[in-house]
Amino acid sequence: MDLSELQQVWDRLGEDDPFWAVLTDARFKGGRWDQDEFFALGKAEVAGVMATAEARGMRFAREAALDFGCGLGRLTQSLAPLFESVVGVDIAPSMIDRARYLNRFGTKCQYIVNDRSDLTIFPDSSFDLVLSLLVLQHMEPRFSREYISEFVRVVRPGGLVVFQIPSARTEWNDSVVSAVALPEDAYRAELSCPDPPTVLECSSRTAITVVAKNLSEHTWLASTQGLGLAVANHWNDSDGVQTVQDDGRAYLPREIPGGDSVSVDVTVTAPSTPGSYLLEIDMVHEAVAWFAQLGSQTLTLPVTIRLAAPRSLDAATNAPPGPDIAPVMEMNTVSPEEITETVAAARGSVVWIDEHSGAGFHDCTYYVSKQTP
Ligand SMILES: C[S@@+](CC[C@H](N)C(=O)[O-])C[C@H]1O[C@@H](n2cnc3c(N)ncnc32)[C@H](O)[C@@H]1O
């Protein structure tokens, strides 16, 4: 995806459901994020970064900070009290508009749209801290590497750059959380699709009926407010390699005793690039596991994704509305070796990496210092 397409995607996400686009917790989709909780999470993340820097002896001045890919300013607003000035930069005008509206620090905190692949809007050595969390993974590595070089250029010697980017996808089992799980043998489903789609248009949204039979002896509980059990789907390429982990969700409308079936409609969003894909349908217990992780059989449907047919002006006036084009967030990984190489080429040094696994990715947060000239 090039930068203009990326901008369109994030602008649309910022218009449709900005809080969820920043923190994609299925429970809060559809405008259900509590703003205070959302900003409190940002405060905790900024405090965590500052504490790690402090504990590792990385000290820097507190004049100016940059939050790259600031979204709604979740992190920017927590940086503001710690620095004399802070700048939040984002590619999406809709996010920046909303961030300005939510700003509580007046002119001390500035928000800027930047749709370039560099940060030439800032001179060399402009900031004491450059922070970027949950951003670089959403663009092709050719862009993330260029921004990382720019972070090192715009930070002052003696300053700190902190950015997060996943280094690899992980095995499903790595991300299983067992806290509120049902007995393991409850996660057995037989999935069928009476009317499977075979051809869909790029980025279109389509409701697909799926019948899920509870093959276990346990009752599946009804879901409340996006929590609990759902029929859901991934998209895989024609070799079976996953390209989209989280797409549609259809939560169970009622209890399903062992042996019973339920029919639900899952709204899937077709990939934005044409080609042959596999639509993989599974069930998920939110914050616990995908059923496939625990040995349940998924349902795989081959689907051809094609470009939307152009419609004539006349046809367009009389025809029913076309497909609802939905934005797709891309997810990428970059290896620590490539990151270290990129940082070194920009005359920086990786001084610390925080690593953790979760939700299908191995994540790294890099702490980078700039060599003095
Ligand atoms: C998941 S949100 C994270 C927002 C913020 N960093 C946070 O943690 O709250 C990702 C943000 O990165 C922005 N973004 C994506 N690509 C970008 C780019 N090339 N330049 C600047 N911002 C970008 C998106 O518009 C979106 O606001």
Side-chain angles (χ1 to χ4, degrees):
M1 203 183 282
D2 65 22
L3 280 193
S4 68
E5 202 181 339
L6 193 71
Q7 185 179 43
Q8 280 176 31
V9 164
W10 280 101
D11 202 39
R12 168 83 184 264
L13 286 164
E15 272 165 15
D16 288 355
D17 197 355
F19 287 88
W20 176 82
V22 169
L23 293 180
T24 53
D25 185 322
R27 290 171 299 163
F28 305 127
K29 198 167 183 176
R32 290 206 295 262
W33 260 108
D34 174 84
Q35 272 189 35
D36 291 341
E37 196 184 332
F38 177 87
F39 281 101
L41 288 172
K43 191 171 179 184
E45 283 174 50
V46 167
V49 165
M50 299 305 256
T52 302
E54 176 75 25
R56 307 257 150 214
M58 305 167 208
R59 303 221 161 76
F60 46 91
R62 299 295 175 93
E63 217 175 285
L66 170 66
D67 178 12
F68 176 79
C70 61
L72 300 175
R74 191 177 67 99
L75 307 170
T76 335
Q77 290 293 294
S78 293
L79 289 171
L82 308 179
F83 289 81
E84 283 173 33
S85 67
V86 59
V87 181
V89 160
D90 203 281
I91 198 167
S94 60
M95 289 284 187
I96 290 292
D97 281 352
R98 188 66 79 95
R100 285 180 182 146
Y101 176 76
L102 295 166
N103 177 26
R104 291 179 296 113
F105 294 93
T107 52
K108 185 179 182 178
C109 177
Q110 229 193 315
Y111 288 110
I112 301 175
V113 175
N114 181 52
D115 59 6
R116 300 176 55 91
S117 63
D118 56 36
L119 292 174
T120 48
I121 51 168
F122 303 118
D124 295 358
S125 304
S126 299
F127 301 100
D128 302 299
L129 176 72
V130 177
L131 179 65
S132 184
L133 305 181
L134 301 177
V135 180
L136 298 173
Q137 64 215 39
H138 295 305
M139 63 188 78
E140 290 179 19
R142 64 187 163 124
F143 296 122
S144 52
R145 286 204 296 263
E146 184 170 351
Y147 287 124
I148 290 167
S149 304
E150 285 288 83
F151 295 167
V152 180
R153 181 183 66 75
V154 301
V155 79
R156 292 179 180 141
L160 186 67
V161 177
V162 180
F163 60 87
Q164 162 274 328
I165 187 164
S167 57
R169 290 176 191 269
T170 53
E171 290 302 317
W172 287 115
N173 283 342
D174 291 0
S175 58
V176 174
V177 181
S178 57
V180 285
L182 297 172
E184 198 167 316
D185 59 354
Y187 298 102
R188 293 282 178 278
E190 183 183 85
L191 301 166
S192 56
C193 181
D195 186 16
T198 51
V199 180
L200 294 175
E201 290 184 351
C202 290
S203 303
S204 60
R205 284 157 67 86
T206 309
I208 292 172
T209 301
V210 176
V211 179
K213 180 172 182 186
N214 182 349
L215 292 184
S216 79
E217 291 176 352
H218 304 275
T219 295
W220 290 344
L221 302 177
S223 305
T224 44
Q225 299 186 339
L227 279 169
L229 298 162
V231 176
N233 75 286
H234 318 293
W235 285 98
N236 303 334
D237 68 17
S238 53
D239 295 326
V241 177
Q242 194 171 89
T243 54
V244 175
Q245 179 187 336
D246 285 296
D247 181 21
R249 290 280 202 275
Y251 290 96
L252 298 189
R254 57 181 169 82
E255 277 191 4
I256 313 296
D260 268 17
S261 298
V262 61
S263 174
V264 291
D265 286 345
V266 191
T267 299
V268 304
T269 301
S272 57
T273 312
S276 300
Y277 290 85
L278 299 171
L279 171 60
E280 186 178 16
I281 296 175
D282 193 1
M283 288 189 65
V284 65
H285 187 169
E286 301 289 8
V288 178
W290 289 85
F291 279 34
Q293 291 178 284
L294 300 167
S296 189
Q297 194 69 38
T298 60
L299 173 67
T300 300
L301 306 170
V303 182
T304 301
I305 304 298
R306 64 167 191 214
L307 287 171
R311 283 183 294 142
S312 75
L313 217 54
D314 281 355
T317 349
N318 299 321
D324 178 10
I325 304 297
V328 176
M329 246 182 239
E330 62 176 277
M331 276 300 283
N332 299 281
T333 61
V334 180
S335 73
E337 292 74 25
E338 285 173 281
I339 297 287
T340 307
E341 211 175 275
T342 305
V343 165
R347 301 184 62 78
S349 317
V350 175
V351 289
W352 179 250
I353 308 178
D354 258 346
E355 300 186 49
H356 65 271
S357 286
F361 289 90
H362 186 75
D363 227 350
C364 292
T365 303
Y366 297 84
Y367 290 73
V368 168
S369 68
K370 179 170 179 168
Q371 294 155 20
T372 35

